[in-house]
Amino acid sequence: MPNGAQALMQTLADAGIEVCFSNPGTSEMHFVAALDSEPRMRAVLTLFEGVATGAADGYARMADKPAATLLHLGCGLGNGLANLHNARKGKVPIVNIVGDHATYHVPLDAQLQSDIETVARNVSPGFVRTSSSTEALCRDAVDAVVAARGLPGQVATLILPADVSWREGGQPCPPPPAPTPSSADDATVAQIAALLRSDGRCALLLGGRALREPALIEAAKIAAKSGVKVLAEVFPTRLERGAGRPPVERLAYLAELAGVQLAGLDHLILVDAKSPVSFFAYPGKASDLVPEGCKVHTLSRPDQDAAASLQALARALDADAASPALQPAGRPGRPRGKLTAEKVCKAIGHLMPERAIIVDEAITSGLMLPKMTAGCPPHDLITLTGGAIGQGLPNAVGAAIACPDRPVLALIGDGTAMYTIQALWTLAREQLDVTAIIFANASYSVLNVELERVGAERIGPKARSQLDIGGPRLDFARLAQGMGVHGVRTDRAEDFCHALEYALSHPGPHLIEALIPESLSGAKRRILPWMLRALPNLPKPVAMALKRKLAP
Ligand SMILES: Cc1ncc(C[n+]2csc(CCOP(=O)(O)OP(=O)(O)O)c2C)c(N)n1
Ligand SMILES: [Mg+2]
């Protein structure tokens, strides 16, 4: 009979889990040893738990099924928490295997003893279980996989005491078939169809799975027939976009700009999306972004099939045969001269390869990315769903493992890059086809904008210094080289284009450090809060034009 760990490994593989992103310790040694008993399981070592969890997130977004993580007790899980939070917000499935002390060792309160379940509950509220016996372990694991894969996907945490892992008597357990999700019922579809036929101004707000191509096409057909506005949530888990696909207008990050997009609506119809709220609260500003008098309806909940629900709505509106508006192909020209964030985005638009996966954690430097890449060949866009930075490089690891035949471009702010810089080492070790582009503006630039926006009284040098990462100057090209990744540094658009062409034509990983000024600085930054405050009082076309200029 296999031991617990071997049976668990087989059970996970039987349930379709093929990758384990790990950072192990002593309590996980039997699980580590069991990796060699299961040829279907790929083991990917990361040098920090935040890389393991972020990689599992990126993997699941692209593979549409969970990976496992292997984490070391409460502290290891805690180190991985920020990216598990991002996965939770993105409704992404992950199965955490967290090692624990042997059951009889727990009461002794040894050095690494901590309350793992409490750490886990924050990110996996739907499933936290400490397996209590080797016999029950595989049943527990199947329950974890079932909970994780959803719909909606979620983070499930299985805590594995060392003795449960090492004892004989493991009993592999087959997974149940995945259930077929329901779609919106007839009454809901009929009610929403009636709204779309009425005189009221309506918008569909798409999130989660509704941002994949099949759902987008249905939404675009509905829009072609009924004139409904189609919006996407601010930070999509995975948005399928590019030439030949229906374009969709994303809600803006800045609440004031989102307010302009939502102004005047009578009905907001949610499709696998949350009703929109401001990212943060600001003194004197509304947190709920739904305009006064606008009613919120739900076509499809996160546990339902968004594409099928939209298809039912299209049928109810006789829109099945309507022609959806599709994004025409087109790329920006080749940028020249001194490098800026906008020129980096332009170069990416100019050179983006076919079937790319774009991970966007460029923060302020990515403002022009949507515009510059709209007409590029079809690609997937992964964004920062939970706002906890340090997601992008780990996501790129996971996305590249999920889709080994697709190029991955990870666009990362310099501040953000340092949270999980260890991901570079895993990129090199696994020889992943990832090009990381670091927007080196030597600043936590977005926080400078926020400092102006929150209305802080006086901003002194001590405050400013907390947002300035320019001294000592980070050297990302050398950090990359130190972790086995080919790295270059550039401050000219011509050189950047050459570096990107080289990276895209030679298997990765690569890192290109783009030395750029802040996108929002000086007068632009000072005027921004005033402009945002003025927006609600401007005529809508003027306000929309300003919105498009600031955040296209
Ligand atoms: C886990 C976590 N810690 C801190 C923050 C606060 N935060 C938001 S953006 C940011 C700095 C981003 O800097 P950078 O990546 O250089 O982008 P830039 O603002 O320069 O465009 C920080 C520290 C956060 N969002 N998440
Ligand atoms: Mg920065």
Side-chain angles (χ1 to χ4, degrees), residues 251-289:
L251 279 182
Y253 161 77
L254 294 172
E256 296 89 336
L257 300 183
V260 174
Q261 293 171 284
L262 295 166
L265 286 178
D266 299 309
H267 301 283
L268 183 63
I269 298 149
L270 307 178
V271 188
D272 196 359
K274 243 173 76 76
S275 186
V277 296
S278 170
F279 208 84
F280 291 107
Y282 299 92
K285 288 181 193 159
S287 284
D288 187 343
L289 295 181

Side-chain angles (χ1 to χ4, degrees), residues 91 182-196 202-207 210 266-276 290 294-306 309-310 312-313:
K91 296 171 276 192
S182 69
S183 53
D185 59 52
D186 294 346
T188 305
V189 170
Q191 185 218 340
I192 296 199
L195 287 178
L196 296 192
C202 301
L204 293 169
L205 178 58
L206 311 183
D266 299 309
H267 301 283
L268 183 63
I269 298 149
L270 307 178
V271 188
D272 196 359
K274 243 173 76 76
S275 186
V290 178
C294 174
K295 287 209 188 70
V296 179
H297 312 263
T298 299
L299 172 67
S300 184
R301 301 184 309 261
D303 61 309
Q304 294 179 309
D305 184 330
S309 301
L310 284 164
L313 182 59

Side-chain angles (χ1 to χ4, degrees), residues 13-147:
D14 287 346
I17 295 191
E18 297 177 296
V19 187
C20 176
F21 296 100
S22 85
N23 186 266
T26 305
S27 37
E28 293 79 45
M29 280 302 126
H30 285 84
F31 187 96
V32 170
L35 285 167
D36 284 295
S37 70
E38 183 45 80
R40 291 172 293 172
M41 183 71 78
R42 177 169 177 181
V44 178
L45 178 61
T46 66
L47 300 186
F48 175 64
E49 292 87 345
V51 177
T53 54
D57 175 30
Y59 174 89
R61 291 188 197 209
M62 294 313 302
D64 275 335
K65 63 176 188 173
T69 64
L70 178 64
L71 306 169
H72 187 47
L73 300 110
C75 299
L77 174 62
N79 277 346
L81 219 61
N83 278 331
L84 292 172
H85 163 87
N86 290 324
R88 178 172 76 87
K89 289 293 185 180
K91 296 171 276 192
V92 180
I94 294 180
V95 175
N96 289 320
I97 308 291
V98 183
D100 193 4
H101 286 310
T103 46
Y104 58 84
H105 197 65
V106 168
L108 305 181
D109 195 25
Q111 284 77 355
L112 270 164
Q113 176 60 37
S114 72
D115 180 354
I116 305 174
E117 291 195 2
T118 292
V119 181
R121 226 163 261 128
N122 192 289
V123 289
S124 49
F127 189 96
V128 179
R129 188 180 300 170
T130 303
S131 196
S132 58
S133 76
T134 306
E135 293 69 34
L137 173 60
C138 293
R139 182 77 256 149
D140 292 334
V142 165
D143 290 348
V145 174
V146 167

